[in-house]
Amino acid sequence: VILSLYLAAFALRLLLAGLAHKHCRDAPNGAACRYFTTAERSEWHTEDPQFLAEVLFAVTSMLSFTRLA
């Protein structure tokens, strides 16, 4: 279970890189490119893949540490 959660966090980061590449290739100066490359954390949407990946990684790390303890 823990390995699959780590893999899901990694997959979300890959998704984010793909989205950034797609939006910046189509419109390098567009709002979507700026959002996926240089937006501050306070500007992120709740369902942003980077935010979800970080939350998933943190929860998985806590579960892993708890399992060792």
Side-chain angles (χ1 to χ4, degrees):
V1 172
I2 291 176
L3 181 60
S4 63
L5 291 174
Y6 276 125
L7 289 174
F10 181 72
L12 282 172
R13 289 185 190 266
L14 285 178
L15 172 69
L16 181 70
L19 286 173
H21 177 73
K22 176 183 169 279
H23 288 295
C24 290
R25 182 188 47 177
D26 294 341
N29 296 326
C33 179
R34 187 188 114 26
Y35 177 79
F36 284 109
T37 56
T38 60
E40 298 290 325
R41 277 184 181 268
S42 60
E43 301 173 40
W44 289 359
H45 301 294
T46 306
E47 67 280 354
D48 186 84
Q50 180 70 24
F51 177 68
L52 294 175
E54 289 180 0
V55 168
L56 189 59
F57 184 81
V59 168
T60 307
S61 295
M62 282 183 10
L63 288 173
S64 180
F65 178 76
T66 303
R67 185 174 169 204
L68 288 173

